């Protein structure tokens, strides 16, 4: 099942956006999920990650501004992005990390990117 990401758009610096990513119930229950971002010509970088138990981790550049959360009832992960800066402009990709089903490793998966543009 392909990850379904939504919520990108164009905003002014200081404004907020919320990204959403819907996954299958199996993915949501077993895998760490999060968001990467990429600017053309640069490497894709981790933005935030959340484990099935709810532990979170963030890139230093977004700590204190972005919040990742999960809704078990909707099998959806959210990225609340506050106080956006022009340097946050990028394509954001929902990512599902590899996880085990028995001895089988389900490989990493990315959804389609959603563009976030922040103007100064």
């Amino acid at each position: 099942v392909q990850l379904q990401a939504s919520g990108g758009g164009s905003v002014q610096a200081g404004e907020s956006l919320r990204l959403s990513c819907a996954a299958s119930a199996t993915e949501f229950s077993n895998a760490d999920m999060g968001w990467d971002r990429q600017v053309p010509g640069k490497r894709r970088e981790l933005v935030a990650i959340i484990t099935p138990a709810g532990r979170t981790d963030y890139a230093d550049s977004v700590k204190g501004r972005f919040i990742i959360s999960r809704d078990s009832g909707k099998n959806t992960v959210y990225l609340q992005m506050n106080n956006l800066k022009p340097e946050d402009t990028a394509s954001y990709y929902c990512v599902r990390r590899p996880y085990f089903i028995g001895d089988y490793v389900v490989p990493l998966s990315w959804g389609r990117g959603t563009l976030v543009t922040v103007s100064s």
Side-chain angles (χ1 to χ4, degrees):
V1 177
Q2 187 169 9
L3 301 172
Q4 300 292 327
S6 61
S10 297
V11 297
Q12 297 290 317
E15 294 183 342
S16 299
L17 280 174
R18 189 177 78 160
L19 305 182
S20 301
C21 176
S24 71
T26 300
E27 291 176 311
F28 193 82
S29 299
N30 291 280
D32 295 352
M33 295 189 63
W35 297 89
D36 293 345
R37 67 185 180 187
Q38 188 170 26
V39 175
K42 294 189 177 181
R43 294 182 63 180
R44 192 171 293 191
E45 63 173 357
L46 169 71
V47 176
I49 196 83
I50 187 166
T51 71
R55 292 189 298 272
T56 60
D57 194 17
Y58 298 91
D60 288 343
S61 59
V62 306
K63 284 180 180 177
R65 299 189 297 122
F66 290 12
I67 301 170
I68 190 169
S69 61
R70 48 190 284 133
D71 184 332
S72 299
K74 297 181 179 180
N75 297 327
T76 298
V77 175
Y78 301 100
L79 184 68
Q80 178 67 41
M81 304 184 294
N82 300 320
N83 190 22
L84 281 160
K85 302 177 180 181
E87 51 263 42
D88 295 318
T89 296
S91 291
Y92 285 71
Y93 297 86
C94 180
V95 58
R96 194 261 298 133
R97 300 291 191 226
Y99 65 99
F100 285 93
I101 296 180
D103 294 332
Y104 176 70
V105 178
V106 182
L108 179 147
S109 176
W110 277 300
R112 292 183 179 177
T114 184
L115 183 62
V116 172
T117 303
V118 185
S119 302
S120 59

